[in-house]
Amino acid sequence: MKSSANLIFHTAKVFILFVSFTVLFYFGMIWLNQEYEDYHRYDEPKGSAIKVSNAVHSSDGKWFDRLLLFYKNGE
């Protein structure tokens, strides 16, 4: 009888730990979501930022070159 009661007690401890850590993880994810919800990644930079890339929009049919560049850079 003592062995089965001990088994039930340890099982209940593991279950309570599992549920508590799952709830902690869930509320942690909710907190992170709320923290970064209003974060605007695509705003204009402030200060003396410079443009480091120049997007080229060409319509003269160089799609094969763009495809090779895509495979080469792995983007």
Side-chain angles (χ1 to χ4, degrees):
M1 182 68 187
K2 184 178 180 182
S3 176
S4 62
N6 200 11
L7 178 67
I8 291 172
F9 175 69
H10 287 298
T11 305
K13 279 196 320 186
V14 169
F15 180 73
I16 290 171
L17 279 173
F18 176 75
V19 168
S20 62
F21 282 124
T22 303
V23 168
L24 181 69
F25 179 75
Y26 175 73
F27 284 112
M29 294 302 285
I30 288 175
W31 176 74
L32 281 175
N33 185 36
Q34 290 174 350
E35 187 73 26
Y36 289 107
E37 194 172 66
D38 296 327
Y39 182 69
H40 302 288
R41 297 186 315 182
Y42 303 112
D43 286 347
E44 288 288 326
K46 298 176 181 81
S48 60
I50 59 171
K51 191 170 191 171
V52 295
S53 170
N54 191 6
V56 177
H57 300 289
S58 64
S59 62
D60 55 358
K62 296 186 179 188
W63 63 271
F64 188 71
D65 293 333
R66 294 294 297 163
L67 182 66
L68 289 178
L69 182 65
F70 175 79
Y71 287 132
K72 178 181 160 188
N73 289 340
E75 294 178 355

